[in-house]
């Protein structure tokens, strides 16, 4: 079993897509181990995306991610990191495959509906950023 950190981003929450995205998560066989709605401060968004500091989109990305509520989740499944990235589709919705969450719901590379960890080390950092061990519910 593997865990990954998923975010339903502020654009999707604002457009009331949370329920439809959660439905896909469960239908695709992920267990939701933890879930919370958060309203990130700019500093918290900068800390989360620290690996992107210095990139041209960093300022805009962290402003967007702190612009409204988001939903953070710990998802568990065999090969969860890759499977959640496959379900999301490519970062840029114009390149995302048919049927993926970003192809269906994203409106731009920044307002791309969802986030997922990209590797085991990133997943460990990102899960710990939002959830204490005790908050990850065992079934
Ligand atoms: P995410 O998977 O959350 O990781 C970093 C985010 O930066 C990415 O999704 C996009 O929403 C955003 N972003 C904005 N512009 C770019 C870009 N040119 N390349 C990659 N990510 C970008």
């Amino acid at each position: 079993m593997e865990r990954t950190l998923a975010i339903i981003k502020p654009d999707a929450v604002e457009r009331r897509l949370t329920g439809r995205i959660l439905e896909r998560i469960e239908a695709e066989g992920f267990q939701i181990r933890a879930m919370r709605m958060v309203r990130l401060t700019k500093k918290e968004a900068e800390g989360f995306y620290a690996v992107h500091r210095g990139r041209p989109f960093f300022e805009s990305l962290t402003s967007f991610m702190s612009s409204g509520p988001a939903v953070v989740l710990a998802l568990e499944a065999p090969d969860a990191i890759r499977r959640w990235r496959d379900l999301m589709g490519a970062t840029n919705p114009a390149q995302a495959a048919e049927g993926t969450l970003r192809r269906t719901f994203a409106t731009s590379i920044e307002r791309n509906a969802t986030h997922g960890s990209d590797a085991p080390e990133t997943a460990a950092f990102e899960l710990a950023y939002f959830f204490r061990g005790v908050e990850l519910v065992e079934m």
Side-chain angles (χ1 to χ4, degrees):
M1 277 295 173
E2 187 176 67
R3 287 177 183 159
T4 191
L5 189 277
I7 304 180
I8 303 174
K9 293 188 179 186
D11 59 317
V13 173
E14 183 183 11
R15 292 167 58 218
R16 303 187 195 184
L17 298 170
T18 302
R20 289 171 70 185
I21 293 172
L22 291 176
E23 197 169 26
R24 282 296 297 281
I25 286 170
E26 294 199 310
E28 299 288 338
F30 294 94
Q31 290 285 359
I32 297 171
R33 291 299 188 200
M35 176 165 69
R36 188 166 77 248
M37 184 168 266
V38 294
R39 173 73 198 256
L40 296 180
T41 64
K42 183 79 157 66
K43 286 229 171 313
E44 287 165 345
E46 289 171 0
F48 181 76
Y49 280 119
V51 292
H52 294 304
R53 193 179 283 280
R55 307 279 287 273
F57 55 83
F58 183 74
E59 175 58 33
S60 178
L61 170 66
T62 53
S63 293
F64 160 62
M65 288 300 289
S66 55
S67 68
V71 176
V72 293
L73 305 109
L75 302 183
E76 188 174 278
D79 205 14
I81 295 171
R82 184 189 60 75
R83 284 179 53 202
W84 172 237
R85 292 179 71 76
D86 286 351
L87 180 56
M88 290 194 297
T91 305
N92 185 346
Q95 287 154 15
E98 194 68 46
T100 60
L101 293 172
R102 285 165 169 168
R103 176 67 171 264
T104 309
F105 298 125
T107 53
S108 73
I109 193 166
E110 181 173 277
R111 301 174 74 85
N112 66 350
T114 54
H115 166 85
S117 312
D118 63 2
E121 312 75 59
T122 339
F125 168 80
E126 294 185 352
L127 286 163
Y129 201 80
F130 289 110
F131 299 112
R132 296 185 299 141
V134 65
E135 293 174 299
L136 296 167
V137 179
E138 297 298 330
M139 304 293 277

